[in-house]
Amino acid sequence: MNPTACRGAQGFALLGAVQTSLIFTLTAVAVPLPQIGREFGLGRTDLVLLNAAYGLSFAGLLLLGGRLADRSGGRRTLTAGLLLFGAASLTSALAPGYPGLLTARFAQGAGAALVAPAAMAVLRTLFAEPAAHARALATWGGLSVVGATAGNLLSGVISAAGSWRWTFVVPLAVTAAALALGPRLLPADPSRDGGRPGPHRAGPHRAGPPRPGPLAADRPGLDLPGAVLATTGITLAGYGLVLSEARHWTSPTVLGTLVAAAALLGVFLLVERRVRDPLLPPDFLLHRRRALALAAIGLTAAGTSTTFVLLSLHLQQQRGWSPLATSGTFLPYAAALLGAGRATGPLIGRFGPRRVTAAGLALAAAGLLLLAATGFDPGLPYPAGLLPGLVVLPAGAAGSFAGAVVLAAEDVPRGRTGLAGGVLNTAMELGPTLVLAVLLTTGSDSASLALAATALAGTALAVTVPAAMARPGPRGGTGHRSHDRPRTPVGP
């Protein structure tokens, strides 16, 4: 490997570790929640809010984080987010009580909301050539589910071996490494005078001609009204859905919160149609290919996270398994996920992201159906009950995530890379919260997974229709290349 490619691979590894740690932190307290509750004397409502705090601020601030990355530069925003994320992780580990831990979890989410879209913006600069960027995106798409799996596995091991506080050492260590190695491995933001980047700009992008930097006049406005409306609306929506896990949907608190969230998001959409530099340009989500890809990302994230939640509760509460044994149940899941993740890149290169996304969704739906049929039957041995679904589901999820991320991020202008990262991660965060709240109303774990499988299968069918993936273009053509066409092999 030549030095330029080596630097690119090292930079990608660093960014990938950061992205994985963000999702690891999202799921890291799920398994040790009972231990935290005993230490601080918490009830169910407090535990539900503590588990959701990180995701609420993460999802609520992602659009603003994406705008800041596009406006101020990816690496600048990445550094600021890492500093906040790392400080909040340390505070979480040392929290003396529930209020301090809850506040630190909200702060962690705020830092993550800056880091996630900024990392995608830096990735675009690191791999400037379209073919190289597509290869990176294919691998990037599977990192979130890897992080979620690692969080569920390691948190059980750590809490069984010692204190839940040690789970925060993982994001803290990754943050320290990223801050120390970032200036050497990651490209500097393009200069604002249109000249060459600074001396730290090392990687595959050096082979191309200098690109104009983001001149102050060309940078998008901040859109503060849109930022306030979007952040408040998304956060309230997530909070209302979290409350529905402990209270009835028709309770005044839940219903009032969700109605207020819907009103704020409705006003947000109206504001975005009128401002000069909208935080979320309306045309960004109206692109049918991108909308279907975002649906695939959200539903796949929902299917995998619902499986973790329902199986973890079932195994510990119904079968009496320990947290360590519960985590061990998902080892085949992790192995299948890693193996499928290695294969998705070459498959996307050969068959195109649309076909891989559709096949991944269908396979993930089959895995959920297997778990719904046999996973909750205590009379079946592990190899016949849980194992088949825990192998098929991650294999499909890896393909769905990888293909959908490529579909959603392709053809995004450089000035909207942060926006794309914010929207992708918002779908990944809100999808599980929304779908889990709906699925819990079924009253049956098996029915919940079967319903999730139906949603994935329906999305797979929609993605399969070629017309749904094409944009209308000038007469005589589609306006852009086909997403069915095989392309340069994609892989890590």
Side-chain angles (χ1 to χ4, degrees), residues 2 81 223 323 371:
N2 62 62
D223 185 17
L371 288 171

Side-chain angles (χ1 to χ4, degrees), residues 17-210:
V18 169
Q19 175 67 12
T20 302
S21 73
L22 298 183
I23 309 303
F24 170 93
T25 306
L26 179 69
T27 61
V29 301
V31 174
L33 269 181
Q35 190 181 87
I36 298 173
R38 288 192 297 270
E39 180 172 334
F40 294 144
L42 305 178
R44 176 179 171 80
T45 302
D46 290 334
L47 289 176
V48 168
L49 182 58
L50 180 62
N51 188 46
Y54 177 87
L56 288 175
S57 56
F58 191 178
L61 292 167
L62 272 167
L63 291 179
L64 178 59
R67 171 51 55 89
L68 291 174
D70 289 336
R71 178 178 170 82
S72 302
R75 210 178 86 179
R76 294 184 188 93
T77 308
L78 179 70
T79 301
L82 284 171
L83 288 171
L84 177 57
F85 182 70
S89 298
L90 179 61
T91 304
S92 297
L94 301 177
Y98 175 71
L101 179 58
L102 183 65
T103 302
R105 288 289 285 171
F106 275 114
Q108 270 189 312
L114 295 176
V115 172
M120 283 196 68
V122 175
L123 187 72
R124 179 69 176 267
T125 307
L126 187 65
F127 297 97
E129 295 300 321
H133 187 234
R135 288 194 294 270
L137 283 176
T139 304
W140 190 266
L143 294 178
S144 294
V145 70
V146 170
T149 304
N152 282 282
L153 287 174
L154 293 181
S155 62
V157 175
I158 292 172
S159 61
S163 171
W164 56 268
R165 297 176 184 273
W166 287 99
T167 59
F168 294 104
V169 171
V170 175
L172 189 60
V174 173
T175 299
L179 290 171
L181 299 176
R184 182 168 65 87
L185 298 180
L186 302 179
D189 294 320
S191 60
R192 297 186 181 182
D193 61 0
R196 284 188 176 274
H200 295 299
R201 194 179 175 91
H205 47 279
R206 289 182 68 97

Side-chain angles (χ1 to χ4, degrees), residues 326-349:
T326 301
S327 294
T329 300
F330 293 99
L331 285 175
Y333 183 105
L337 179 66
L338 293 174
R342 295 285 297 176
T344 52
L347 288 173
I348 291 174

